[in-house]
Amino acid sequence: MAALCFQKDTSLLLSNKLTTMTTYRSLLSSMLIGSLRFLPLERVPKLRVLLLRLAGVVFDGSATIYGAQLISVPEKLHIGCDAGINAECVFESDGGITIGARAFLGARVLILTTNHRVGEYLADETKSVTIGADAWIGAGATIVPGVTIGPGAVVGAGSVVTKDVPAGARVAGVPARRIRTSLVGSSA
């Protein structure tokens, strides 16, 4: 019995060490990016993209990044061409996050890819999150693991997205529910 407890404690220490290393790496990236706010505004987004590329984030082309971002695993974050990401977004990207071309995320969006299985000791379950091209995610929205947001979809500010959002749909609320469907590029 004591050996079993020791093994659990050792794995907990190893897990905490790996988590701490990942946290320090994310914190360092966030601090570097946050310090760029003192540079002229027109240069800051391009410098943030450069720093994020160096940290391992995959970009398909140019993107616009405002403010500091917190990214748990930069190598598993894929950002499409001409995407826009506003300040203070959190990307818990252990399971992988893909943001489509021309998608836009408002300030303080939270994207999660890891969940804990109830009743199991240190059991994490990761699922990827995909945000389609031309999608808009309102400020303060939360997207949980395994969700796909279709192309041209709109998520209202402060919404909690727990299920897939079809292409062109508009959702809002906690949990997010469809409030309207529009064609991509239409004025509706």
Side-chain angles (χ1 to χ4, degrees):
M1 184 72 167
L4 183 59
C5 290
F6 177 75
Q7 185 178 13
K8 281 186 177 181
D9 290 343
T10 303
S11 66
L12 180 60
L13 289 174
L14 180 59
S15 175
N16 285 341
K17 185 175 181 179
L18 291 174
T19 302
T20 302
M21 289 170 43
T22 302
T23 302
Y24 285 144
R25 183 177 181 181
S26 297
L27 183 60
L28 181 59
S29 294
S30 294
M31 287 173 32
L32 286 172
I33 294 167
S35 67
L36 294 175
R37 67 181 161 203
F38 300 108
L39 297 174
L41 186 59
E42 65 276 0
R43 293 186 186 168
V44 174
K46 292 179 182 179
L47 289 173
R48 284 191 179 99
V49 170
L50 176 63
L51 282 175
L52 289 173
R53 277 187 205 273
L54 292 172
V57 175
V58 179
F59 287 90
D60 283 345
S62 64
T64 304
I65 312 289
Y66 293 101
Q69 311 299 323
L70 182 59
I71 304 166
S72 64
V73 183
E75 300 82 20
K76 293 188 177 183
L77 177 59
H78 186 117
I79 300 175
C81 186
D82 296 326
I85 299 174
N86 212 327
E88 299 179 28
C89 292
V90 176
F91 301 98
E92 188 275 308
S93 55
D94 296 42
I97 298 172
T98 302
I99 299 171
R102 299 169 310 281
F104 185 79
L105 280 64
R108 295 189 176 127
V109 168
L110 172 62
I111 302 177
L112 304 170
T113 63
T114 303
N115 203 351
H116 303 284
R117 290 192 292 259
V118 176
E120 295 184 36
Y121 185 74
L122 294 177
D124 288 339
E125 179 177 73
T126 60
K127 295 180 182 176
S128 65
V129 170
T130 302
I131 298 173
D134 301 304
W136 283 70
I137 312 299
T142 299
I143 301 169
V144 302
V147 168
T148 297
I149 296 175
V154 177
V155 175
S159 298
V160 176
V161 184
T162 59
K163 296 180 182 175
D164 290 352
V165 178
R170 294 181 183 189
V171 299
V174 179
R177 295 177 202 232
R178 184 183 292 193
I179 56 174
R180 187 193 303 181
T181 300
S182 64
L183 298 174
V184 176
S186 72
S187 60

Short mmCIF file of all heavy atoms in Angstrom, two decimals, residues 43 59 74 135 173:
data_model
loop_
_atom_site.label_atom_id
_atom_site.label_comp_id
_atom_site.label_asym_id
_atom_site.label_seq_id
_atom_site.Cartn_x
_atom_site.Cartn_y
_atom_site.Cartn_z
N ARG A 43 3.37 48.82 -35.11
CA ARG A 43 4.40 47.78 -35.18
C ARG A 43 4.15 46.63 -34.22
O ARG A 43 4.65 45.55 -34.41
CB ARG A 43 5.77 48.38 -34.89
CG ARG A 43 6.22 49.33 -35.95
CD ARG A 43 7.61 49.77 -35.68
NE ARG A 43 7.97 50.80 -36.64
CZ ARG A 43 9.04 51.54 -36.55
NH1 ARG A 43 9.87 51.37 -35.55
NH2 ARG A 43 9.30 52.45 -37.46
N PHE A 59 1.61 29.77 -38.17
CA PHE A 59 0.81 30.76 -38.90
C PHE A 59 0.78 30.39 -40.37
O PHE A 59 1.81 30.04 -40.94
CB PHE A 59 1.43 32.15 -38.75
CG PHE A 59 1.26 32.77 -37.40
CD1 PHE A 59 2.21 32.56 -36.40
CD2 PHE A 59 0.17 33.57 -37.12
CE1 PHE A 59 2.07 33.13 -35.16
CE2 PHE A 59 0.02 34.14 -35.87
CZ PHE A 59 0.96 33.92 -34.88
N PRO A 74 2.41 26.30 -27.41
CA PRO A 74 2.43 27.08 -28.65
C PRO A 74 2.45 26.23 -29.93
O PRO A 74 1.85 26.60 -30.92
CB PRO A 74 3.70 27.93 -28.53
CG PRO A 74 3.98 28.00 -27.08
CD PRO A 74 3.49 26.71 -26.51
N ALA A 135 -15.14 33.17 -39.11
CA ALA A 135 -15.95 33.12 -37.89
C ALA A 135 -15.59 34.30 -36.98
O ALA A 135 -14.47 34.79 -37.02
CB ALA A 135 -15.72 31.80 -37.16
N GLY A 173 -25.38 33.10 -25.45
CA GLY A 173 -25.93 32.64 -24.19
C GLY A 173 -25.06 31.64 -23.46
O GLY A 173 -23.99 31.27 -23.91
#
